[in-house]
Structures are given as C-alpha cells and as structure tokens.
Amino acid sequence: MKEITKDDLQSLKDFIESHDFFFLAGHKEPDGDCIASCFGVKGILEHFGKKYQMLNAGPFKRNEIKAFEDFFSPTMEFLDDEERKKTGLIIVDCCEVPRLGDIDGDFTGLDIFVIDHHKTAGFSENAKGFIDGEAPACAFLIQQFYENLVGPLDKELADVLFFGLCTDTGFFRFLNDSSQAVFEAAGRLVSYGVDPRKIYNKINSGKPYSTRKLLGVLLAKAERFLEGKLIITYETMEDTKLYGQEGRDSDALYQMLLSVKDVEAVVFLRQETVSSCTGGFRSLDKVDVSAVASKFGGGGHKNASGMSCNGRVETLIPQIVKEFARIM
C-alpha cells in the first residue's frame, strides 16, 4: 500500500482552503464503504468550517445503508457563476464523474479532488487526489487523512468508518498478510469507542426474508467450470421481479460459494434489462478477477471486482469462462 505523505495531506488541505463550497459525491448504487468515506470527508470539511452538499444518485438498495439515505441528494444545489468559481468537487470511492450516475446538475468546470482505492482507477481530467489500488477500503484512506488533518475521531464517526472498512474487507476476511497497517487503523477506531460486535450485527442482521429465498435460487443455479475452480450463478429479470431488489446479500452468496472445495473464483451475473447485465467477481488469494472484469468494461480489486455491459447471461457465461481459462 502507498503511504499518505505530507505532500498528499497538504494537497487536500490546500484544495479545501482554496474553495468556499463543496459537492461531496460517491459512486451510484453506494455501499457501506462509499457512504462511510463521504461521512469521513464531511467531518474534515466541517473541521475547516466549509459548507458542502453530499450527493448520490442511489439507489440505496442495501439494507445496512438505508439509514444514511436522507443525508444525500441526487440534485445539486444551484450556484451562480461566481459561486461555482469557488466550488470544489470531492469524489470518493471512485474516480470518474460518469461513475457518479444520474446526478441532476452540472459538474463542468469544477475543480476535482479524488480519494479512491480501486486498482483500475485513474484521475479524471484536471483532477487532483490520492489513489491507492492496494488499499482494502476507501474508508481506510479517509481515516488516515482525517487523523492527520484533524486528529482523533469521535465515536460516531469512528463507528461509520469502521462500518465502511468492514464492508469492503468482508469483516477483515479479504485482508492478506501485508495488512498490518489496516489492523492498526481498525484498532485505533476501537480505541475511539467502536464496538465491532455491534457493527457486525448492523451489517449482517435485518435482512428481508425474500433475500434468503433468493439465495436458495442462486445456489440452485450455480454451475462449476474449469475443473471446479470457477463457479458462476445468475439472476434473471423474473427472479428480480419475484424477490425484489431490497436488502441484497451477495456477500453471503460469495462466502458460501468460495468455501466450496477447489473453488478459486466466483461470478454472480444479473440480467438487469433484456440487453444488459451487471456482474460481481470474487476470488481467493491468487486469482486476479479484475483482469477478467476489465474485459467486460469493469474493474476493481484483485479479489473483488464488478462490471456492467451489454449482453445476456447465456451468451456472457461462455465468454467469462474463456477469460478465466486464460488465468487459472
């Protein structure tokens, strides 16, 4: 992982001090890490006495983030030309404006600062910031910026950042043997008053009954490929209509399938429309699923990536298997 240097800290501080107002945004269809990262930057802006608006296009599908939805808007506050000259856009947990989704407003001409942790990420044009593709969560990066620019966190913000860290690390299951700094950061959050047990229950409890039924359907559709090293399952539009989109629990699906003997990678496809699909890719230590996701317009991390592309499940599956066969 990259070290956040004094120059990196100064760069964010200079960006904040040179603007009067900020739009703070994360990617569409936010997860806990995206939400937590926004709240961490929110705390930094409040420390510097800056005004801001938190933006997100949604939808807030995940049960564990529903409580945060009212803090965000899909519509930018109106600013006149003079106000826009003094306005900055801070993007967290992604690096490109299109990944923000359908925000009602115009980002054109705004100065941009990015904090992200995705492996395939690169700065948008004319943007500054910090990207570490080896960091396990954006919340981990935000915590370091906050502690160095502001100081110790209060318990409320520490809870949120621990929640974000646990979301993207699978409650630390996805970390490797070079993650000492992450555990140290988590330890500091606990020292600020975080109760890990309560955060775990917040992430994993309260799932709608329909999600348990859907898990059964997805497990029944799962098929093994490449001598059992790859498992692929999928959700049809009919499944979505029957079981809904609320409170999804794909993490439980990945966890169960990755625990199967000889399995090294898992793919979950969803037929979003008659001509488009989304997909999630997960793997154990050695398989880099981002290399496959990138072939279908996606990307992410070595062991956790996603994609969205045109196509149908039945035609995408053999193409995905072919790409995995190159690396497994």
Side-chain angles (χ1 to χ4, degrees):
M1 290 182 287
K2 292 169 59 177
E3 178 185 358
I4 297 177
T5 66
K6 290 183 178 180
D7 287 342
D8 295 321
L9 296 169
Q10 191 64 47
S11 180
L12 177 57
K13 184 178 180 181
D14 290 345
F15 187 84
I16 292 172
E17 291 181 335
S18 62
H19 298 86
D20 294 339
F21 184 84
F22 296 86
F23 292 115
L24 172 55
H27 59 76
K28 63 182 179 179
E29 296 189 25
D31 57 8
D33 187 33
C34 176
I35 296 298
S37 298
C38 287
F39 270 79
V41 175
K42 167 181 174 291
I44 296 173
L45 293 175
E46 289 174 345
H47 171 76
F48 284 94
K50 299 295 184 176
K51 296 180 180 180
Y52 59 87
Q53 182 191 24
M54 293 201 293
L55 300 171
N56 198 282
F60 287 69
K61 295 180 181 179
R62 300 167 185 262
N63 184 67
E64 65 270 22
I65 65 169
K66 282 290 186 181
F68 298 102
E69 185 171 4
D70 289 344
F71 290 91
F72 294 84
S73 173
T75 304
M76 296 170 65
E77 292 184 15
F78 174 78
L79 301 175
D80 61 32
D81 290 341
E82 286 303 311
E83 290 172 324
R84 286 181 66 86
K85 292 178 182 178
K86 300 177 182 178
T87 296
L89 169 63
I90 299 179
I91 301 175
V92 297
D93 205 30
C94 69
C95 65
E96 299 170 338
V97 170
R99 283 281 290 128
L100 303 181
D102 295 326
I103 300 292
D104 184 10
D106 183 11
F107 293 116
T108 304
L110 296 180
D111 295 329
I112 300 174
F113 196 97
V114 171
I115 304 176
D116 192 17
H117 73 121
H118 290 95
K119 184 176 180 181
T120 54
F123 288 125
S124 297
E125 187 177 357
N126 298 324
K128 301 177 181 179
F130 184 86
I131 296 176
D132 181 3
E134 299 301 320
C138 191
F140 167 68
L141 301 177
I142 301 297
Q143 177 186 346
Q144 294 176 80
F145 275 104
Y146 188 100
E147 289 172 326
N148 282 282
L149 291 174
V150 180
L153 287 73
D154 61 41
K155 181 183 181 302
E156 184 177 7
L157 182 54
D159 278 343
V160 176
L161 287 178
F162 193 87
F163 166 71
L165 177 62
C166 290
T167 297
D168 264 26
T169 63
F171 223 89
F172 308 109
R173 297 195 319 274
F174 306 145
L175 297 180
N176 55 38
D177 57 6
S178 62
S179 300
Q180 179 179 339
V182 182
F183 284 109
E184 290 173 350
R188 293 196 301 276
L189 293 176
V190 172
S191 75
Y192 301 141
V194 170
D195 183 338
R197 179 180 58 86
K198 290 183 178 179
I199 301 300
Y200 179 88
N201 289 336
K202 180 177 182 179
I203 294 173
N204 293 286
S205 301
K207 305 293 185 183
Y209 177 68
S210 60
T211 66
R212 309 299 94 179
K213 301 287 286 184
L214 178 59
L215 277 175
V217 171
L218 299 177
L219 289 172
K221 291 180 178 180
E223 293 188 38
R224 293 188 294 178
F225 301 89
L226 304 178
E227 300 179 337
K229 291 184 289 187
L230 172 67
I231 292 181
I232 300 180
T233 189
Y234 61 91
E235 178 181 331
T236 66
M237 294 173 66
E238 290 75 20
D239 294 331
T240 305
K241 183 177 180 180
L242 182 60
Y243 297 107
Q245 299 187 47
E246 299 301 316
R248 293 307 186 92
D249 196 11
S250 55
D251 184 60
L253 175 68
Y254 295 129
Q255 187 175 352
M256 284 188 283
L257 294 179
L258 283 171
S259 68
V260 174
K261 182 181 178 182
D262 296 326
V263 169
E264 298 178 5
V266 169
V267 177
F268 168 39
L269 298 175
R270 182 183 298 128
Q271 192 74 52
E272 299 285 357
T273 70
V274 293
S275 60
S276 66
C277 285
T278 56
F281 300 71
R282 298 293 187 274
S283 69
L284 299 177
D285 293 338
K286 65 181 182 179
V287 178
D288 185 355
V289 292
S290 69
V292 177
S294 65
K295 299 291 185 179
F296 298 90
H301 305 287
K302 177 182 178 182
N303 301 123
S305 293
M307 65 88 165
S308 178
C309 68
N310 293 328
R312 295 189 60 81
V313 164
E314 57 267 28
T315 57
L316 283 172
I317 288 178
Q319 296 175 40
I320 290 171
V321 172
K322 182 179 180 180
E323 292 300 330
F324 269 104
R326 300 178 191 275
I327 63 173
M328 297 178 79

